[in-house]
Amino acid sequence: MPTPPRSTRFPWSGRWNGVIGASALALLLSSCSLIEIEDAPLSAVEPRGPFAEQINNLFWPVFWIAVVIFVIVQGGILFSIIAFRDRPGRKEPKQIHGNTKLEITWTVIPALILAAIAVPTVSTVFDLTECGDDAMTVEITGHQWWFEYDYPGLGIETANVMVMPADQEVCAVMTSADVLHNYWVPALNGKRYLVPGQETVLRLQADEPGEYWGHCAEFCGLSHSLMRARVLAVTDAEWDAWVSEQQAAATVPAEGTPAYEGMLLYQNLCTTCHTVNYGDASEFTNIRSDDVFRGPNLTHFSSRNVFAGAYLPYEGLSYDDALEQWLANPPDVKPGSFMPNLGLTQNDINNLTAWLATLK
Ligand code: HEC
Ligand SMILES: [Cu+2]
């Protein structure tokens, strides 16, 4: 039989293959640069605490085993393709299909490898879902599109930034107020779902004080990509100071000031969604319970360096500008936002930002 012309043997081949292949490879490699955590705050291979470390210690051995297998298998394929390639006058090489010994060998070896990997994997998975006895409980509630943090033992309710002591385990008991979310702070642990009507548990611990970035890792609607998280690990002294600051009620601003005007505006427009605690005795206190729709608790809004799901202010935008833009038109900043455009005037916004600055 005459050899068919090249173009019919490989209908997909052509000079573009090389170009397309090289571009695809470049794109792939550009996504996996293993750079320092400062440049890649969501890197999963830069553990900063014992639980992320456990995952890392599992990941690398499995990765290198996979590399060895990849090289052996691909090497075998390449060798066969080249050594046994068709040549004019060459006879068909020896066929090994149906060789029982070989079939058993290459079934048993992968099974043994998988079994060996399964032992540390399963024990790590179980270990990561059961909190230690000395852990401090923080309840995390997912909302579209921000995370709420409640410290049940301390009576603290905050949002966006989870503050915790360094070198102390936090047992995050998580749920969702609306749809599925997923809590992921890669430097501290892997991902875990937040499920409406259910509780899931995640262990978090940072070895050193520092700021750790996170993100919602389950598509949860229009602004999912703007639903971020921060964990701030602090020294013991900073922790004590933070706790007493958060436990204190807010102070009513002096009458006649812009901040006071802002507070009155808040009382008119914002209490259907937000909480501000001025203490039990104050007529200005309004608290939204766990079982109603609520936005972030604003009692200590200014103590947080980020807001709106830890998305604002993003790099290149000042805090003040970000806050103005947010108040002027939330859905413009975060598509689909459940905080509506309230049609505030510039004067309203000035009074509100003056008031928000008093909520330390
Ligand atoms: C209908 C409910 C609703 C009303 C009314 C409302 N908000 Fe909001 N607000 C939200 C929600 C929900 C968020 C969180 C949005 C997000 O991050 O996606 C939010 C976020 C905020 C934030 C950022 C807080 C943080 O820590 O992330 C501020 C500040 C704020 N609102 C101020 C106000 C002020 C001031 C008013 C009244 C003028 C107001 N809101 C009225 C629902 C509301
Ligand atoms: Cu989410």
Side-chain angles (χ1 to χ4, degrees):
M1 198 179 90
T3 319
R6 191 182 149 80
S7 62
T8 54
R9 274 193 300 171
F10 299 106
W12 59 86
S13 80
R15 62 188 143 145
W16 290 107
N17 276 4
V19 178
I20 295 169
S23 326
L25 190 67
L27 198 67
L28 189 72
L29 290 178
S30 70
S31 65
C32 49
S33 51
L34 300 179
I35 38 183
E36 277 299 295
I37 198 162
E38 286 73 26
D39 303 321
L42 294 178
S43 168
V45 289
E46 298 275 350
R48 291 291 186 265
F51 307 120
E53 190 80 47
Q54 264 176 280
I55 296 176
N56 212 45
N57 291 344
L58 201 57
F59 170 75
W60 285 112
V62 173
F63 175 78
W64 287 117
I65 291 172
V67 166
V68 170
I69 294 171
F70 179 84
V71 169
I72 292 174
V73 170
Q74 297 300 317
I77 292 174
L78 281 177
F79 172 79
S80 306
I81 288 173
I82 294 166
F84 302 113
R85 69 190 182 280
D86 194 15
R87 280 280 177 79
R90 196 180 238 193
K91 275 193 265 152
E92 190 177 78
K94 187 178 169 224
Q95 300 296 299
I96 54 166
H97 180 78
N99 183 319
T100 313
K101 264 190 208 154
L102 278 178
E103 298 276 354
I104 290 176
T105 311
W106 64 48
T107 305
V108 168
I109 292 179
L112 288 178
I113 295 173
L114 287 182
I117 291 175
V119 174
T121 305
V122 171
S123 79
T124 303
V125 165
F126 279 101
D127 193 39
L128 287 179
T129 50
E130 244 180 73
C131 291
D133 294 337
D134 300 332
M136 176 180 84
T137 300
V138 177
E139 292 166 2
I140 306 183
T141 307
H143 298 263
Q144 284 172 314
W145 289 278
W146 57 284
F147 289 107
E148 171 186 345
Y149 303 102
D150 295 278
Y151 297 67
L154 302 169
I156 294 172
E157 178 185 309
T158 183
N160 302 318
V161 185
M162 184 175 104
V163 180
M164 67 185 208
D167 215 19
Q168 150 81 47
E169 178 180 344
V170 162
C171 185
V173 180
M174 311 192 294
T175 190
S176 168
D178 37 53
V179 300
L180 278 180
H181 298 279
N182 193 314
Y183 198 74
W184 186 47
V185 182
L188 306 184
N189 202 338
K191 299 170 181 175
R192 198 90 208 261
Y193 272 108
L194 283 69
V195 186
Q198 275 185 37
E199 273 185 1
T200 50
V201 162
L202 184 70
R203 310 175 78 175
L204 298 167
Q205 183 168 335
D207 290 334
E208 301 288 334
E211 203 179 35
Y212 305 95
W213 291 45
H215 209 292
C216 177
E218 173 65 26
F219 179 72
C220 56
L222 264 189
S223 276
H224 159 68
S225 66
L226 309 178
M227 178 167 175
R228 299 177 186 176
R230 290 282 170 92
V231 171
L232 189 64
V234 296
T235 63
D236 286 348
E238 288 167 334
W239 167 253
D240 291 340
W242 183 80
V243 168
S244 41
E245 173 194 271
Q246 299 291 312
Q247 285 175 335
T251 314
V252 176
E255 254 177 85
T257 59
Y260 189 82
E261 293 303 314
M263 187 195 67
L264 295 183
L265 213 51
Y266 167 82
Q267 301 292 333
N268 280 334
L269 295 174
C270 324
T271 49
T272 46
C273 299
H274 290 288
T275 287
V276 173
N277 177 16
Y278 280 112
D280 294 342
S282 172
E283 54 175 316
F284 296 119
T285 290
N286 85 284
I287 297 198
R288 297 194 63 77
S289 71
D290 278 2
D291 40 342
V292 294
F293 177 85
R294 62 197 183 285
N297 185 324
L298 298 178
T299 309
H300 299 284
F301 173 75
S302 291
S303 73
R304 316 195 272 264
N305 58 346
V306 285
F307 54 94
Y311 165 56
L312 294 176
Y314 48 79
E315 213 180 88
L317 183 71
S318 75
Y319 180 94
D320 293 346
D321 289 348
L323 189 53
E324 280 207 19
Q325 287 180 17
W326 176 255
L327 294 174
N329 193 352
D332 191 45
V333 179
K334 271 180 105 165
S337 169
F338 287 89
M339 173 158 160
N341 183 341
L342 294 160
L344 302 172
T345 65
Q346 186 59 47
N347 191 40
D348 293 341
I349 292 175
N350 294 346
N351 290 338
L352 282 171
T353 49
W355 166 69
L356 285 166
T358 67
L359 302 175
K360 298 209 187 73

